[in-house]
Amino acid sequence: MHRPDEHVVPGLPGFPAVGSPFAPSAASPHPTDAGGTSPSADGLRPAQVDPVVLSALLARHGWRRRGGAAGRYARWTPPGGAAGGTSLLVPESRSFPDSGDLMAEALMALARSAAPSARDVLVGLAVPSDEIRWWRDVPGEARGAASWSAQERLRAGARAMLLAGALAARSRAGYHGARHRAQAEAALEQVLIGDGAGGGRRLTVFVPVEDGRATVTTLLRALQGARDATDYQRATGGMEAFDAAVELGVCQELTESLVALVRGSEGIRVALEWSPAAGAPDGFGPRPEPVEFSPGDLPALRDAGARYVRDEPSVPVRITGAVVRMRRSAPGGPGTVRLRVLAGADVAQVRLMLEEDAYRIAGQAHLVGVPIRVSGRLESRGGFRRLTGASRVVPVQVEEAERDRLMKSLQEKLGFFEEACGDDA
């Protein structure tokens, strides 16, 4: 039967976005709504699919090419003879006369295939993505019932590693803390989890090329830098290589994620495959070598993380922010204020101590619905969430529309003063 090129493949079962939380919920080991939209094969038309890309994805995910008509089409079977020996006929190119029919049948078969890798292939077609794979060599007893905790650890560690890459893609620092965190987490909203099989030993994620390639390339360089710096420390005892590796994206957040993944395992391996549709980015080889870490690397990674936190300097800033909480122990004297940062620092909120006059100015600004501007130093201790040496506190004049927006936002927190009296600011 003839199937026109405008044939649409039926819906693909959803994949969870990396969002928060990245780990599976307690209700289900395979969530489908973990914080973002899931890709679908709806709208994936044969005419939009490059047969070369489909063949590359099939080979990547373990499908076997088993003959076909040379120069016309190839026959592919699932890994390990899964799905009852179901096979796909994939044209070599769109120039093959019946390529549209074959592609429609191949996509339909993939959508209905019982092979877990079939869904990953469809995701790679629907959303051109770079793939990152983690292998975590957990002890033999982590099978069966024990694999649940192992899978949680793998997913949490992988998400933390991706977040470290997203942070480093925005700025280089030994310790990021709360800086750029909101933007980095937003950058991960479109990252998709692939086949979760493997009992906590294996995980694949898909990072869309359009929005996530900077994260992927930064993470790859950072992992290679961390590997080299760890080798140098183990060979010489020196930490200098970790200092230099900051420019490659190595940071406390990355070392922390590595420690979390390696601890309790016999080693981990991280591998990356570029999107077949987009190809390798400039400056990178077509097949990056996997990066491995073992329990013997833990002391160097822990020491490096502590060193990054200790050595990251405080930052002088002048912040504009809306007062969201105030607290002091007596009617007069100094008090603690929490600001929602509007400008001047790459953090969501900061906490600061103000003397009596400055505290009164902050209270009056809150009552009339305008932000304040304050100078100080953003301290690395506590993750860059505290401003010390606060001075030059002044209310900021804003346009009436912006003032109304601020007032509405703050009035939504009617329990502000009751909450402030009971909690630390």
Side-chain angles (χ1 to χ4, degrees), residues 5-84:
D5 283 356
E6 59 270 17
H7 177 87
V8 177
V9 180
L12 173 69
F15 285 79
V18 164
S20 180
F22 184 74
S25 67
S28 169
H30 301 293
T32 59
D33 56 353
T37 57
S38 298
S40 171
D42 291 336
L44 185 60
R45 303 176 186 278
Q48 299 172 329
V49 178
D50 186 340
V52 175
V53 172
L54 174 56
S55 297
L57 287 169
L58 290 170
R60 174 179 297 178
H61 290 279
W63 289 62
R64 299 286 300 276
R65 179 169 178 163
R66 298 184 183 277
R72 301 178 69 190
Y73 62 85
R75 182 179 297 276
W76 294 83
T77 58

Side-chain angles (χ1 to χ4, degrees), residues 83-97:
T86 300
S87 62
L88 310 177
L89 294 181
V90 179
E92 296 282 1
S93 71
R94 291 195 182 101
S95 62
F96 179 60

Side-chain angles (χ1 to χ4, degrees), residues 277-345:
D282 293 340
F284 291 86
R287 295 180 179 275
E289 288 291 326
V291 185
E292 300 182 3
F293 292 87
S294 68
D297 299 323
L298 286 174
L301 293 169
R302 289 192 179 105
D303 289 348
R307 179 185 178 94
Y308 285 141
V309 173
R310 183 178 64 250
D311 293 348
E312 188 66 23
S314 60
V315 182
V317 292
R318 185 151 176 79
I319 288 176
T320 301
V323 177
V324 295
R325 185 173 296 178
M326 303 180 70
R327 184 179 187 275
R328 59 181 176 181
S329 57
T336 303
V337 173
R338 184 178 296 177
L339 299 180
R340 178 167 58 86
V341 176
L342 304 176

